[in-house]
Amino acid sequence: MSLIEAQGVSKRFGDREALRSVSLHAAEGEILAIIGPNGAGKTTLLSIIAGIQSPDDGELTRPPGEVGWVPQQAALYGKLTVAENLRLFARLEQRPDVEAAVEEMLHQTGLEDRAGDQVSTLSGGNRQRVNIAIGLLAQPDVLLLDEPSAALDPRQRERLWEFLQARAEQGTAILFSTHNVAEAERNADRVLVLADGELLFEGPADELALGADFESAFVEFLRERGH
Amino acid sequence: MRWLLIKDLQILKRSPLLVALLVIYPIVIAVLIGLALSRGPDKPRVAFVNEVPAAANVIQLGGESIDTSKYGKELFDAIDPVRVDSEAEAIKKVKSGDVLGALVLPQDLTHKLASGIEPAHVKVYYNAEDPVKARFVQNTINSQVQKANAAVRKKLTKIAVGYLKLVVSGGKFSFFGRNFDVLGLAKAEAILRATLAEIPKDSPANAQVATVQQFAKIAHDNLGLSNDVLKTVGEPIVVDQHVLKGGKTPLDAFAVAVAVTVSLMFVTLLLAAGTLALEREENAFSRLVRGLVSRTGLLVEKGLLASGASFVVTLAMLSGLALFIDLAWDRFPLWVVALVAGALGFAAMGLAIGALTREVRAASLLAFMLALPIAFLALIPSGSVSQTLYDVTSAISAVFPFKPTLDALNAALNDAGGMGKALIHLALLVAGYGVLARVGLRRFA
């Protein structure tokens, strides 16, 4: 059952076409990676699905429940502590047991010992962990992550994907954008290749690679299409 | 060094708004300061009505002819006179704000001056929308009248001295067409001395005694006259002041209203603009408006925060000032109404600034740069600049919440007219800036 269904979604910024009739779907428990070069339209596509921006054209169907959103740059209040940030958003998300939700997220992010620290004092990686935790607070049916592992070290990245895989197994559809094609190949059920706002490929990573090295195949694929 | 310079110039070239601000702002400030320095206290526009007949301009004082029109010329050097034909026309010009005040010289002015018996009165009309203006008009007119008073006083003193000399030394004196030979105290003393030496106790020296009695009478009359003259010498010309609009607020109480309004403006503007822009800088805006909070709800929250904080600060400030300045505590509910209304007006404006600038530093800078000129413009009194310029400054002031907030607070603190108009004005500004802020949020993310 598709939780997200996009048909012919287009978006313009002035003269620039950020998205050109992009269609996609994501089912329960599915992990989709959106890959492409810089300026391909990955963030625009995710922000439209998240409801932050409206498409100029096309149709989008989203689940009636919550869509979790994890922006590329940490959307946190630097002057608040980790726990205070989590508590604020848990309240805004109307979680029935706010303190339990905060404890759960602190545990999942491994930041229990930094709960009382102001976010402005955290490293980029730890901020991103809090950022992701806030996106998960609503226990959403669909989770959108914009380059979630960009600021994480390998160990943190591993922990993140363990966590996301567990979420997907519980039925959450996960869409994430990334530059890291290896990460997409390793973690995604399907990949969507975007370039200049155009959807060039949608399918399992091995279909694109056809037995070759995925990253090389991806670069070659773009080159063949003039990107 | 050279490459850094080129880089900075390139950055400036690509920031047209910043460059425009850097160029326009000093010009605006310079023009405002220039206007204040060049057109304010030096040459106030004053309507002038001279009802004194031309033939009566020359009066006799102390045996000298004085051309009173000479003092009129001195007055005209100090003001920018607008000659009008009647008192009614002068009042109309003051009411419309075309002139700062009106000076009316009544028909009997020179006659009273010439008599030296009772002070001559001139009439001054002015608006006193704010006490600063009232003080300015009073000072301007009074200083000129004082100059005229000083000149007339000199002449009247000469008259008084003449009378006293007559009493002491004697001589000819004419009063209401009758001529008297005044003996004078010196001669009287000599006569009395001689008489006392020569006269036998039983000699009838009736004539000499009669002369002494006449002197005593005239001396008494002259001294009585000198009292009136000396009273007149103190203030030969009296100014009758008439306030046409506003006017009961003392200057210190008005200063309180200005100080509190300025504080309210800075606190509210900076807080509203800064906290809204901070949501974007922290990247939290997109997360919040994705369903957690509506954009309008976010604006309302920031507006309430900024107006609430500034309300508390300025109410505490007012309460503190009330310890030193006589403010009417029984009007406290009106203080609250004025502060709340003003805070909401400034909060709405601050939100618009925050929504349009989208950065905390830019928002703070713009709020600060706007605050000073709008406060300055709102304090320019009518009549102190040309009518066209005053209309322009009034129109600009009307777009910002400073002037209506000051009016509301002045009314609340000093019973200076009703608050209703100012409150309606603020409500319209809240709505207008609210819409602007809401539109600004469309490109906020």
Side-chain angles (χ1 to χ4, degrees):
Chain A
M1 173 191 170
S2 284
L3 291 174
I4 294 285
E5 189 83 45
Q7 286 294 330
V9 169
S10 298
K11 182 74 180 175
R12 298 182 69 87
F13 295 108
D15 293 337
R16 190 172 67 84
E17 277 190 295
L19 289 176
R20 303 178 195 191
S21 193
V22 174
S23 299
L24 63 86
H25 63 93
E28 262 181 37
E30 198 174 18
I31 300 178
L32 263 67
I34 304 171
I35 58 175
N38 288 332
K42 304 187 291 292
T43 300
T44 302
L45 179 59
L46 284 176
S47 64
I48 286 174
I49 297 171
I52 296 164
Q53 297 188 65
S54 303
D56 293 333
D57 202 6
E59 287 183 9
L60 179 69
T61 307
R62 292 188 301 174
E66 193 61 48
V67 175
W69 167 241
V70 180
Q72 184 176 355
Q73 290 175 312
L76 306 165
Y77 296 102
K79 292 287 181 189
L80 298 186
T81 65
V82 173
E84 286 168 343
N85 268 285
L86 290 169
R87 198 171 290 122
L88 167 69
F89 282 99
R91 285 180 177 137
L92 290 174
E93 297 282 6
Q94 299 181 330
R95 288 290 296 264
D97 189 342
V98 170
E99 290 308 319
V102 171
E103 288 303 317
E104 180 190 359
M105 286 305 145
L106 285 173
H107 175 69
Q108 288 188 1
T109 53
L111 287 171
E112 294 103 323
D113 57 335
R114 306 295 302 270
D117 291 354
Q118 283 192 9
V119 164
S120 59
T121 66
L122 299 182
S123 66
N126 282 341
R127 281 190 211 185
Q128 186 64 333
R129 288 156 77 181
V130 182
N131 190 32
I132 292 167
I134 289 174
L136 295 169
L137 269 171
Q139 298 176 309
D141 295 330
V142 177
L143 183 61
L144 309 171
L145 305 101
D146 192 10
E147 306 207 20
S149 60
L152 303 184
D153 62 36
R155 173 64 190 133
Q156 288 172 336
R157 200 176 300 141
E158 185 185 343
R159 288 181 65 170
L160 168 69
W161 281 110
E162 285 172 5
F163 177 70
L164 292 176
Q165 293 285 1
R167 286 277 171 176
E169 284 167 16
Q170 291 167 14
T172 305
I174 294 172
L175 281 76
F176 70 101
S177 67
T178 183
H179 284 295
N180 188 334
V181 289
E183 183 180 46
E185 181 190 22
R186 190 161 54 246
N187 296 297
D189 299 315
R190 284 186 293 131
V191 295
L192 287 79
V193 178
L194 273 181
D196 288 339
E198 192 178 357
L199 183 61
L200 301 179
F201 176 83
E202 180 187 356
D206 52 6
E207 274 187 24
L208 184 71
L210 294 172
D213 164 52
F214 181 72
E215 184 158 353
S216 304
F218 171 70
V219 172
E220 182 61 28
F221 178 83
L222 290 177
R223 189 178 292 136
E224 284 172 5
R225 284 156 182 78
H227 297 288
Chain B
M1 177 71 83
R2 181 167 57 117
W3 299 116
L4 279 175
L5 185 63
I6 291 170
K7 179 266 296 178
D8 286 338
L9 289 172
Q10 282 174 325
I11 290 172
L12 283 174
K13 188 181 167 190
R14 286 164 196 172
S15 312
L17 191 62
L18 177 66
V19 173
L21 209 60
L22 288 173
V23 172
I24 293 169
Y25 188 73
I27 291 173
V28 170
I29 293 293
V31 167
L32 291 175
I33 292 174
L35 282 172
L37 294 178
S38 64
R39 294 304 306 275
D42 287 349
K43 292 259 186 179
R45 277 168 62 82
V46 175
F48 181 73
V49 186
N50 187 0
E51 295 175 340
V52 178
N57 275 340
V58 178
I59 60 172
Q60 297 294 321
L61 270 180
E64 286 184 27
S65 295
I66 298 173
D67 185 358
T68 56
S69 62
K70 190 179 75 176
Y71 299 107
K73 283 175 190 164
E74 286 181 8
L75 177 64
F76 289 164
D77 286 341
I79 63 172
D80 180 7
V82 179
R83 284 184 178 274
V84 292
D85 295 327
S86 67
E87 191 171 335
E89 193 182 344
I91 290 172
K92 192 177 169 187
K93 279 200 172 291
V94 176
K95 281 184 175 172
S96 70
D98 188 24
V99 293
L100 193 61
L103 177 63
V104 180
L105 306 185
Q107 199 173 6
D108 60 357
L109 178 79
T110 53
H111 175 71
K112 285 185 175 176
L113 275 177
S115 76
I117 305 298
E118 61 175 312
H121 287 249
V122 297
K123 295 179 188 173
V124 171
Y125 295 93
Y126 59 92
N127 291 329
E129 300 101 325
D130 66 62
V132 175
K133 177 178 172 179
R135 177 72 62 93
F136 174 50
V137 175
Q138 285 168 0
N139 288 344
T140 304
I141 300 295
N142 285 347
S143 67
Q144 296 310 314
V145 171
Q146 283 305 320
K147 281 183 186 174
N149 267 340
V152 177
R153 189 183 301 133
K154 197 175 167 185
K155 298 296 176 189
L156 291 177
T157 303
K158 198 172 174 182
I159 297 173
V161 168
Y163 284 140
L164 291 173
K165 192 177 173 185
L166 190 67
V167 170
V168 173
S169 305
K172 297 284 184 186
F173 176 65
S174 177
F175 192 67
F176 288 114
R178 293 178 63 191
N179 294 318
F180 299 93
D181 280 323
V182 179
L183 181 65
L185 287 171
K187 287 178 186 168
E189 194 272 335
I191 290 169
L192 283 172
R193 195 175 342 113
T195 304
L196 284 171
E198 293 175 6
I199 193 167
K201 283 188 178 175
D202 56 349
S203 174
N206 289 336
Q208 288 179 329
V209 171
T211 305
V212 175
Q213 282 177 332
Q214 191 183 17
F215 160 70
K217 183 176 181 302
I218 293 172
H220 173 263
D221 290 346
N222 275 325
L223 285 172
L225 196 61
S226 297
N227 283 342
D228 288 341
V229 171
L230 290 171
K231 278 181 193 169
T232 308
V233 166
E235 197 172 15
I237 302 172
V238 174
V239 178
D240 295 335
Q241 297 189 0
H242 303 272
V243 176
L244 298 177
K245 276 198 289 188
K248 283 191 292 184
T249 306
L251 188 56
D252 55 355
F254 182 70
V256 169
V258 173
V260 171
T261 306
V262 168
S263 301
L264 189 73
M265 173 177 67
F266 275 113
V267 174
T268 321
L269 277 185
L270 292 173
L271 206 52
T275 53
L276 183 62
L278 188 66
E279 292 293 356
R280 183 176 179 275
E281 280 201 357
E282 299 270 34
N283 301 311
F285 177 76
S286 59
R287 178 168 261 163
L288 288 174
V289 298
R290 209 181 35 80
L292 302 181
V293 186
S294 70
R295 284 170 166 81
T296 304
L298 188 69
L299 288 177
V300 169
E301 183 268 325
K302 300 297 176 198
L304 288 178
L305 170 75
S307 54
S310 61
F311 169 75
V312 170
V313 168
T314 49
L315 191 62
M317 187 178 168
L318 257 186
S319 304
L321 287 169
L323 298 175
F324 305 100
I325 293 168
D326 188 23
L327 297 177
W329 280 99
D330 59 329
R331 301 179 65 79
F332 184 82
L334 293 176
W335 301 4
V336 172
V337 171
L339 288 178
V340 167
L344 289 173
F346 286 124
M349 181 182 165
L351 292 173
I353 291 172
L356 294 172
T357 55
R358 304 188 296 167
E359 290 177 8
V360 175
R361 279 179 295 180
S364 304
L365 182 65
L366 185 60
F368 194 81
M369 290 173 88
L370 278 174
L372 286 177
I374 63 172
F376 183 87
L377 287 178
L379 292 173
I380 294 176
S382 62
S384 61
V385 292
S386 72
Q387 186 61 36
T388 307
L389 186 59
Y390 180 73
D391 289 343
V392 171
T393 59
S394 296
I396 295 171
S397 287
V399 181
F400 298 106
F402 186 90
K403 179 74 170 133
T405 301
L406 180 62
D407 289 345
L409 199 56
N410 192 25
L413 291 175
N414 304 313
D415 195 14
M419 291 172 62
K421 193 176 160 191
L423 294 181
I424 291 170
H425 190 165
L426 283 169
L428 291 173
L429 289 178
V430 168
Y433 280 116
V435 169
L436 195 60
R438 184 64 185 78
V439 171
L441 282 192
R442 292 173 67 177
R443 55 185 281 273
F444 202 62

